Amino acid sequence: MNPRGTLRFVLGDQLSLAMSSLRDIDPENDVVLMAEVWDECTYVRHHPKKIAFLFSAMRHFADELRKLGFTVDYRRLDAPDNKGGFRAELLAAIERHRPARIVVTEPGEWRVLEDMKGWSEFCGCPVDIRVDDRFFATREDFSRWAEGRRELRMEYFYRDLRRRTGLLMEPDRKPAGDRWNFDKENRKRLPDSAVPPQPPRFTPDRITRQVIDLVGGRFGDHFGDLEPFWFAVTRRDAEAALSHFLEHALPHFGDYQDAMKEGETTLYHSVIGLYLNCGLLDPRDVCRRAEAEYHAGRAPLNAVEGFVRQILGWREYVRGLYWREMPGYAETNHFGAARPLPGFYWTGETDLNCLRQCIAQTKEGAYAHHIQRLMVTGNFALLAGLAPKEVCEWYLIVYADAYEWVELPNTHGMALFADGGILGSKPYAASGKYIDRMSDYCRNCRYDVKASTGPDACPFNYLYWNFLTEHRAKLKDNRRMSLIYNALDRMDRRKVENMRAEAKRFLDAL
Ligand code: FAD
Ligand code: DLZ
Ligand code: SF4
């Protein structure tokens, strides 16, 4: 049989009709390949909810493509001849379809791109790897921006993108409200009377139920609860979730962006990261719709700017940084942290209430919001000197929105400062005081957040001062740390010694 047509391989986080790999598709001759594979579910042991979400979203996307008249070769995990990995599935598909070439969009992870570069030789068929243009900036845009800069800081990249896109800009090229950043307004504690909206919950349809059965049977021993399952798995439902957020939560997104409350998982956050990262939502559309809420007077500027900055700023910046710095980035370990991840990250069984709450909700929902990830589980990992690789693997496993391009810079760089300051200008280290200010966790904790020594002292307190003392040589010349080192130097020496002794006892017992 003569080779004919193109085989278009769409990966599980590429579920968008606008994918570059689908752009010039010929419905008569081309075949779209999609494959559920064991290797992608187990290279780290993903949360079952994340696997179920992705498989169901993949199956729904395949149906969407079929309805548009395309031929889809969809490989279910439970097909008896499923090959278990991308390469083997591709090879088998080439034998079935005899395409003249393969077209793919570049993947989101370095490990997969490295493998993909060898596909052509392995399969004996040309492979066209196309740019993933679902982002505001390409990898090359970021590299050009970064070239020659002494420091890479999100804020300046973000401002460039604001100018380039015109998002939240006045006609005179000034930022809306005459300020780039409204962060100072965005650190309010949640009042006890606040009743945050709940994100919409979507009832699993037949396809999702089948996937839940499959995932329960194959990956039931992975960390995390498979049910209740309520994520959107179609573009239409993901858009409904976005609309719900824009109407009910966005107006307060800014004010309570950093707040945490026991029993309230999502507060005024959007819970759309998982949809953006797999292609069900488009970041440009999301930002334009948020901006429209500001122009219509339905949401204040501090909320809309804060939200847009997460997507236009942080999301784009971490992606650019990931591709620029990999693979060396993942190997850095600025503080030489080497302590193994404590078992309670998997069980939630700890008497530190803030950690218990954040881990329990992560296990249940494959979700925690940014400050929980950064200032509770991340801050603890930083202060306790946990090994970056183990911490990064945990984050990649447990969140439904986790892919290495976005997870690694956030964990390795932002939370652990393991990159020594490539991503951020100083470590996000904090004592229990910060957690107490932004949450109600300390009210129900067996520890006393006001105490730094003694049996009831909050471990975050002595771990914090211990961290600063231990890493003085690496941090003391950082201008943004000078105030805190001055405070440490003014502290009673005996108190510092006592805190270090408490920290040692605590860490030895971990
Ligand atoms: P919202 O708070 O409503 O924000 C809106 C959107 O902005 C998010 O959906 C996301 O797309 C984007 N965003 C916000 N903050 C960031 C950020 N720092 N970096 C990139 N995008 C951002 N985000 C992921 O998408 N995947 C990850 O694997 C991931 N791992 C993280 C690990 C750590 C240690 C930390 C501190 C942060 C991590 N983040 C990650 C960023 C952020 O915590 C999540 O994007 C956010 O919590 C998702 O919830 P949401 O959709 O309700 O976001
Ligand atoms: C995360 C994931 C999982 C769990 N399973 C699959 C899968 O079975 N098939 C697939 O095509 N993609 C899956 N993915 C997403 C991939 O891991 C992702 O495409 C790469 O990590 C590149 O970002
Ligand atoms: Fe966490 Fe300390 Fe507060 Fe307990 S007292 S919840 S350990 S910050």
Side-chain angles (χ1 to χ4, degrees):
M1 192 165 78
N2 283 332
R4 92 180 242 273
T6 299
L7 184 65
R8 296 171 187 271
F9 194 3
V10 173
L11 306 185
D13 54 353
Q14 302 183 338
L15 309 180
S16 157
L17 294 173
M19 244 25 250
S20 57
S21 56
L22 295 174
R23 204 145 289 158
D24 48 354
I25 188 165
D26 169 3
E28 296 297 314
N29 292 304
D30 295 356
V31 172
V32 177
L33 173 67
M34 297 179 70
E36 297 169 4
V37 292
W38 180 262
D39 289 355
E40 289 306 301
C41 302
T42 54
Y43 75 94
V44 296
R45 290 159 57 86
H46 290 296
H47 195 302
K49 238 186 199 96
K50 175 181 184 180
I51 302 175
F53 162 65
L54 219 55
F55 280 11
S56 182
M58 285 171 72
R59 291 182 185 195
H60 281 92
F61 184 66
D63 282 351
E64 192 180 351
L65 289 173
R66 286 192 194 103
K67 281 192 193 119
L68 289 169
F70 302 118
T71 305
V72 183
D73 183 358
Y74 191 93
R75 307 281 302 145
R76 291 181 178 219
L77 189 85
D78 49 0
D81 59 343
N82 185 293
K83 303 280 184 264
F86 285 153
R87 272 188 180 220
E89 277 298 337
L90 189 61
L91 195 62
I94 289 171
E95 276 159 20
R96 284 193 299 278
H97 306 293
R98 301 271 162 213
R101 63 171 185 155
I102 293 151
V103 170
V104 283
T105 294
E106 61 189 356
E109 301 196 347
W110 189 83
R111 126 197 107 80
V112 183
L113 181 61
E114 282 307 287
D115 188 54
M116 200 178 258
K117 286 178 186 161
W119 285 2
S120 179
E121 197 184 330
F122 175 74
C123 300
C125 184
V127 179
D128 175 7
I129 304 177
R130 295 184 176 172
V131 167
D132 186 349
D133 50 15
R134 287 176 294 172
F135 294 85
F136 288 95
T138 61
R139 288 160 49 183
E140 283 65 37
D141 289 336
F142 185 87
S143 292
R144 264 195 302 278
W145 172 81
E147 204 50 55
R149 280 176 196 261
R150 204 168 45 84
E151 280 186 339
L152 307 180
R153 292 293 168 253
M154 187 284 291
E155 183 65 29
Y156 298 105
F157 185 57
Y158 166 61
R159 289 182 192 180
D160 265 19
L161 286 180
R162 288 270 298 274
R163 288 190 196 96
R164 251 182 53 194
T165 58
L167 272 164
L168 295 175
M169 296 297 288
E170 303 293 350
D172 58 3
R173 287 180 67 78
K174 283 209 179 113
D178 220 12
R179 269 164 60 193
W180 292 104
N181 185 317
F182 292 80
D183 247 359
K184 281 208 185 75
E185 275 101 306
N186 291 357
R187 290 178 191 140
K188 296 194 180 79
R189 192 189 159 98
L190 192 75
D192 283 343
S193 57
V195 186
Q198 296 304 315
R201 293 177 165 247
F202 301 92
T203 308
D205 65 2
R206 186 183 48 82
I207 293 178
T208 304
R209 287 253 51 105
Q210 276 178 358
V211 164
I212 288 174
D213 289 345
L214 172 69
V215 171
R218 305 285 172 109
F219 308 106
D221 59 341
H222 288 197
F223 165 86
D225 303 345
L226 180 53
E227 298 194 76
F229 185 97
W230 51 264
F231 292 144
V233 291
T234 62
R235 189 171 323 286
R236 205 187 57 194
D237 284 351
E239 272 163 16
L242 171 65
S243 299
H244 187 275
F245 162 74
L246 293 173
E247 186 181 345
H248 300 285
L250 178 65
H252 291 300
F253 176 87
D255 291 347
Y256 305 124
Q257 201 177 336
D258 291 0
M260 299 175 279
K261 185 175 158 78
E262 204 167 310
E264 290 287 348
T265 310
T266 54
L267 295 170
Y268 296 92
H269 290 269
S270 63
V271 201
I272 60 161
L274 72 171
Y275 308 135
L276 281 168
N277 295 350
C278 78
L280 291 186
L281 289 179
D282 173 52
R284 285 162 291 220
D285 181 47
V286 171
C287 288
R288 287 285 169 213
R289 288 192 60 190
E291 182 188 40
E293 294 300 298
Y294 163 62
H295 288 308
R298 289 188 292 262
L301 188 53
N302 71 306
V304 176
E305 189 281 318
F307 180 70
V308 166
R309 177 152 27 91
Q310 305 314 311
I311 297 175
L312 181 66
W314 280 112
R315 190 169 182 271
E316 296 286 325
Y317 171 76
V318 299
R319 177 172 184 264
L321 198 113
Y322 173 80
W323 286 108
R324 187 178 144 88
E325 300 294 330
M326 280 299 277
Y329 194 75
E331 304 306 317
T332 53
N333 189 351
H334 187 62
F335 296 124
R339 189 163 281 108
L341 193 79
F344 65 72
Y345 271 78
W346 301 112
T347 62
E349 285 164 20
T350 164
D351 54 8
L352 283 77
N353 189 39
C354 50
L355 282 169
R356 189 168 65 234
Q357 297 299 327
C358 294
I359 294 168
Q361 72 164 68
T362 296
K363 179 171 174 290
E364 200 267 326
Y367 179 83
H369 72 64
H370 186 67
I371 292 300
Q372 296 174 309
R373 297 186 203 196
L374 183 63
M375 300 310 291
V376 181
T377 41
N379 185 25
F380 182 85
L382 170 72
L383 300 183
L386 305 187
K389 277 201 192 291
E390 292 194 33
V391 181
C392 289
E393 183 170 310
W394 184 81
Y395 277 95
L396 190 57
I397 285 173
V398 302
Y399 293 114
D401 54 35
Y403 299 88
E404 197 187 61
W405 66 267
V406 54
E407 175 277 326
L408 189 78
N410 271 297
T411 310
H412 195 84
M414 194 186 298
L416 301 180
F417 205 72
D419 65 0
I422 298 175
L423 178 138
S425 54
K426 75 176 192 48
Y428 279 90
S431 68
K433 197 167 161 188
Y434 175 88
I435 295 173
D436 191 33
R437 190 164 68 239
M438 297 317 303
S439 78
D440 63 356
Y441 294 148
C442 304
R443 283 186 205 164
N444 296 327
C445 186
R446 89 139 202 76
Y447 294 106
D448 177 1
V449 72
K450 301 254 161 19
S452 303
T453 54
D456 294 332
C458 163
F460 277 90
N461 291 342
Y462 49 73
L463 288 176
Y464 173 67
W465 295 107
N466 177 62
F467 169 83
L468 291 176
T469 314
E470 198 169 321
H471 299 295
R472 178 188 283 270
K474 291 205 165 117
L475 297 173
K476 71 177 182 346
D477 295 331
N478 183 324
R479 273 185 305 118
R480 297 195 61 204
M481 302 293 288
S482 57
L483 269 181
I484 204 69
Y485 274 105
N486 288 342
L488 178 62
D489 290 339
R490 283 196 307 272
M491 237 181 228
D492 179 59
R493 282 297 91 201
R494 219 175 10 220
K495 184 174 176 190
V496 176
E497 304 277 292
N498 283 345
M499 288 195 292
R500 295 212 69 188
E502 298 275 6
K504 181 166 184 327
R505 227 183 346 262
F506 179 88
L507 293 172
D508 285 349
L510 263 189

